[in-house]
Amino acid sequence: MNLKVCDNKEEIGRCAATIFASQVLRKEDSVLGLATGSSVLTTYAEMVKDYQAGITDYDFITTFNLDEYCGLSPTHEQSYSFFMKENLFSEINIRSENINFPDNENLYYDSRIKKAGGIDLQLLGIGHNGHIAFNEPCEHFPYNTHTVALSDSTISANSRFFKSADEVPKKAVTMGIGTIMKAKSIVLLAYGKEKADAVNKMVNGKITPSCPASILQLHNNVTVMIDTEIFNELH
């Protein structure tokens, strides 16, 4: 893993956006794997700035998002489809037909990724329990896109976006670990002391499905961007 330490989340966002801009400039029909959540907001804001400045062009880009809640319509304010539209897609010139979200648990989503040529650059966050996408800690590494029951800790963490924890969907559809690991390059973002334990287990711990992100140790092109708060807690 390539570990990059930044001063704060704003610097993380700028650095990550630069990587995405470089990818898009290098390959105008790049396939991008995208994530949702607070960790990626500054990155998307910087990507929008790059587009508005005429640096990037997304006309031929294809995107595949990591996951989506079960039971929420794309127009629901807490759906990941809505999140992506509000924070990125409505602000750049991406074609709607090139935007993809998982919506079932069979191999259809993985087949679409393969047909597109595979993901060139995948963006990830990490959960407090070490999950990536919605691959929760379990006894094995799920390979393909699948439906998952969300853990209590994930539901609790995501409840801040809903009126109560009872409104948080209990299931989601997510890329599997195998699908994520097929990406040609990966950028994972994390900031805040509360994520330090998960990052430490990912970077320095043993490879185990009890910390799904630890599998990234086996990928040959991963950049982990963290802030100084996390770096000071690593051991």
Side-chain angles (χ1 to χ4, degrees):
M1 289 182 179
N2 175 29
L3 192 65
K4 181 174 179 59
V5 183
C6 301
D7 289 337
N8 48 49
K9 66 180 180 181
E10 287 77 22
E11 185 181 352
I12 289 174
R14 288 192 294 271
C15 291
T18 297
I19 292 176
F20 273 83
S22 296
Q23 175 64 45
V24 172
L25 289 170
R26 246 188 349 261
K27 184 183 177 186
E28 66 175 5
D29 60 345
S30 290
V31 178
L32 305 180
L34 301 179
T36 53
S38 56
S39 297
V40 301
L41 283 173
T42 54
T43 300
Y44 290 157
E46 292 296 327
M47 289 170 67
V48 171
K49 288 181 182 178
D50 288 342
Y51 167 72
Q52 292 174 340
I55 297 171
T56 51
D57 180 4
Y58 291 87
D59 194 33
F60 300 104
I61 297 298
T62 299
T63 65
F64 288 90
N65 262 76
L66 284 170
D67 42 27
E68 179 59 283
Y69 284 122
C70 292
L72 297 187
S73 73
T75 57
H76 191 287
E77 290 186 357
Q78 297 306 328
S79 73
Y80 288 161
S81 298
F82 187 88
F83 176 98
M84 292 302 305
K85 181 178 180 181
E86 288 292 295
N87 292 293
L88 183 63
F89 293 152
S90 65
E91 304 295 330
I92 60 176
N93 64 328
I94 189 168
R95 303 183 189 189
S96 59
E97 63 267 27
N98 290 343
I99 296 171
N100 298 277
F101 285 86
D103 59 6
N104 55 56
E105 60 179 302
N106 60 30
L107 296 179
Y108 175 67
Y109 200 58
D110 302 282
S111 297
R112 289 191 69 179
I113 294 173
K114 183 177 180 180
K115 186 176 180 180
I119 293 172
D120 293 301
L121 177 58
Q122 176 68 59
L123 183 63
L124 296 176
I126 184 171
H128 294 85
N129 60 4
H131 75 250
I132 47 176
F134 272 133
N135 293 287
E136 300 281 12
C138 60
E139 296 182 354
H140 68 287
F141 290 109
Y143 193 80
N144 294 312
T145 301
H146 62 288
T147 299
V148 62
L150 303 184
S151 69
D152 291 341
S153 64
T154 297
I155 292 172
S156 176
N158 290 356
S159 65
R160 68 187 187 277
F161 302 115
F162 294 81
K163 293 180 180 179
S164 71
D166 292 336
E167 292 189 7
V168 182
K170 303 304 185 287
K171 292 184 178 181
V173 185
T174 180
M175 280 189 198
I177 295 295
T179 307
I180 293 170
M181 290 292 286
K182 289 179 181 177
K184 298 178 181 71
S185 59
I186 295 173
V187 175
L188 185 144
L189 315 179
Y191 60 84
K193 191 175 180 179
E194 67 277 5
K195 293 288 183 77
D197 183 60
V199 172
N200 191 56
K201 290 177 179 176
M202 172 184 67
V203 175
N204 297 318
K206 67 178 182 179
I207 298 172
T208 171
S210 65
C211 177
S214 64
I215 194 70
L216 297 176
Q217 294 178 34
L218 299 178
H219 197 284
N220 62 6
N221 192 1
V222 178
T223 299
V224 177
M225 294 187 178
I226 59 174
D227 64 0
T228 53
E229 283 192 22
I230 291 180
F231 180 73
N232 291 336
E233 295 291 322
L234 296 184
H235 55 272

